[in-house]
Amino acid sequence: MSGPQIILWVIALAVLALCMRRGMPQARRAVVETNRGFWRILPMFCVALPMAAFLSELVPADIATEWLGDDSGLSGIMIASLAGGIMPGGPFVTFPLVITFSKAGAGVAQMTALLTAWSVYALHRILTWEYPVLGWRFVAMRLASSFFLPVLAGLIMQALLPFFAINLAAP
Amino acid sequence: MWLDPHRVAPFPLSAGEFGGRLYLPPPSLARCAPVLQFARVLHALRRHASLVVIFLIAVTAGLATLQLRGAEAFMTALWHAWDLFLFIVPSLVAGLLLAAALRQLLSPDALARLMGAESGIFGLFIATLVGTLSPGGPMAAFPLVLVLAGAGADRGALVAFILAWSLNGFQKLLVYEAPLLGLDFALLRTLITFPMPMIAGWIARRVPIAWEPPK
């Protein structure tokens, strides 16, 4: 297990211990919910991971360099923001795809914009959750106050990159 | 063919999921079995929409790989996917456990009182913090938004909450981003985007779009 994984397990067990202190029923419910969540998410994994792997076989190396590479600058950041906004599915889809894009030459700032746009715009989530639950006025209000964030995040990352050595393709 | 409206109770969308009101089909709809059936199918599709879409993309991409790159590349890809799966599963289980345990401890009502329209930047900060710590997918987060709204959180706080949850959610960070993209990138990106929900919430309080929380 890697460092972050160990940290995660320690935090999870600590919070579970807090639950136990509050009462055994709570702790038991936490474990039952964990089990249920795992089986609910498993089918997603079974299709998302092969999808990302196939796509990374199909995407020719360096094809992303021109559009999304480190030198693509603002236009690359904007393209990545658009792509991130329409990307469907949860993190089990997006993060493997980001690895795929990075192997194909995409830049770190561009991938930051893509991840931010995937979180901020999240077209699939608007259609399936935000619009039905909160209404289109809320969607409009939220987008009006956050539409510029992905490009901003990409630009900040680009400005900071010279000070950090980050390689997404080989973690 | 005609259904008693009272028997509509097990209709998956009506049962208390969002305070029990949002998705309750009108009685006229409830009496019409074919329409109800259609709504059920729609609901199932909506719940599994991403699964269906991703499955179709996966099959297409798999066939294309087989056709264009050959059987060996196909097997290599599947092997990579299996590797990644084994790599993620320990984090996934820990993340789910943490999410479920936190849900037993957090009290949305007490938190929402700190996020009213008069709460200023502090309220936005609390909303951002709560969003960052909120575990789970949209099926957990959006009902929580309704609870927070009902308990007095204002629209700026709700926008900040949603963005913080989706941008900086710790679960996503620890389960996926740090293991897959490296801790350096995950930390730097999170530092950059951490203040963003507060900025958006601040703007949302000033955007001239009228919105009332669903009752």
Side-chain angles (χ1 to χ4, degrees):
Chain A
M1 274 207 282
S2 66
Q5 290 183 328
I6 293 170
I7 299 173
L8 185 60
W9 268 106
V10 170
I11 301 176
L13 292 177
V15 177
L16 185 66
L18 279 180
C19 274
M20 282 175 174
R21 263 189 54 179
R22 193 171 278 196
M24 264 343 243
Q26 263 105 335
R28 198 167 302 129
R29 211 176 313 142
V31 175
V32 169
E33 278 182 28
T34 307
N35 184 36
R36 204 185 306 146
F38 179 77
W39 292 107
R40 194 178 300 154
I41 217 166
L42 195 63
M44 206 54 167
F45 264 91
C46 294
V47 292
L49 293 179
M51 177 198 72
F54 289 140
L55 285 182
S56 80
E57 285 291 333
L58 287 173
V59 177
D62 295 336
I63 193 175
T65 312
E66 190 185 339
W67 285 29
L68 296 172
D70 278 319
D71 298 328
S72 63
L74 183 62
S75 70
I77 288 176
M78 290 173 94
I79 294 171
S81 299
L82 277 183
I86 56 172
M87 229 147 87
F92 27 76
V93 181
T94 311
F95 287 104
L97 274 182
V98 167
I99 297 182
T100 305
F101 288 144
S102 298
K103 279 181 184 155
V108 176
Q110 285 71 20
M111 289 302 97
T112 305
L114 184 134
L115 283 173
T116 310
W118 166 69
S119 305
V120 169
Y121 302 148
L123 188 63
H124 65 286
R125 207 183 60 212
I126 290 178
L127 294 177
T128 51
W129 289 98
E130 196 168 4
Y131 164 69
V133 174
L134 298 167
W136 67 266
R137 279 169 177 276
F138 186 89
V139 175
M141 179 182 74
R142 190 183 63 79
L143 286 179
S145 43
S146 61
F147 70 93
F148 57 94
L149 292 177
V151 173
L152 183 66
L155 288 177
I156 297 177
M157 184 58 103
Q158 193 168 41
L160 291 179
L161 264 185
F163 306 103
F164 298 89
I166 289 176
N167 181 9
L168 292 180
Chain B
M1 150 137 193
W2 302 103
L3 282 181
D4 175 4
H6 298 288
R7 286 182 50 207
V8 179
F11 186 73
L13 285 175
S14 68
E17 220 184 326
F18 300 109
R21 284 188 191 165
L22 263 175
Y23 287 115
L24 201 64
S28 54
L29 180 79
R31 277 196 211 98
C32 187
V35 176
L36 190 63
Q37 195 59 40
F38 180 67
R40 276 220 177 97
V41 172
L42 255 186
H43 170 67
L45 270 181
R46 179 173 149 259
R47 271 192 73 166
H48 303 291
S50 15
L51 187 65
V52 173
V53 169
I54 291 159
F55 177 74
L56 292 178
I57 298 176
V59 171
T60 316
L63 290 177
T65 306
L66 206 54
Q67 194 74 1
L68 299 173
R69 301 271 188 272
E72 200 175 323
F74 183 85
M75 290 318 288
T76 315
L78 277 185
W79 187 248
H80 275 309
W82 175 244
D83 245 12
L84 204 53
F85 177 75
L86 290 183
F87 182 67
I88 294 180
V89 159
S91 319
L92 178 71
V93 175
L96 289 170
L97 179 64
L98 180 51
L102 269 181
R103 256 200 296 280
Q104 316 298 325
L105 295 175
L106 285 176
S107 154
D109 277 3
L111 292 170
R113 260 175 258 132
L114 301 172
M115 301 181 201
E118 306 304 316
S119 61
I121 298 289
F122 176 74
L124 294 179
F125 178 72
I126 295 290
T128 301
L129 211 58
V130 174
T132 305
L133 292 175
S134 277
M139 64 290 282
F142 279 97
L144 188 54
V145 172
L146 282 186
V147 174
L148 290 174
D154 87 314
R155 59 195 219 165
L158 296 179
V159 165
F161 169 83
I162 292 184
L163 284 175
W165 160 76
S166 70
L167 261 178
N168 305 323
F170 78 96
Q171 200 185 12
K172 204 165 63 183
L173 183 84
L174 286 172
V175 174
Y176 300 97
E177 194 166 356
L180 291 180
L181 302 180
L183 194 57
D184 293 350
F185 174 78
L187 284 180
L188 189 57
R189 190 202 63 81
T190 306
L191 275 180
I192 291 173
T193 53
F194 188 81
M196 288 184 167
M198 281 179 272
I199 300 171
W202 188 86
I203 299 173
R205 284 179 174 166
R206 286 154 183 81
V207 170
I209 297 175
W211 177 76
E212 290 295 319
K215 291 285 183 287

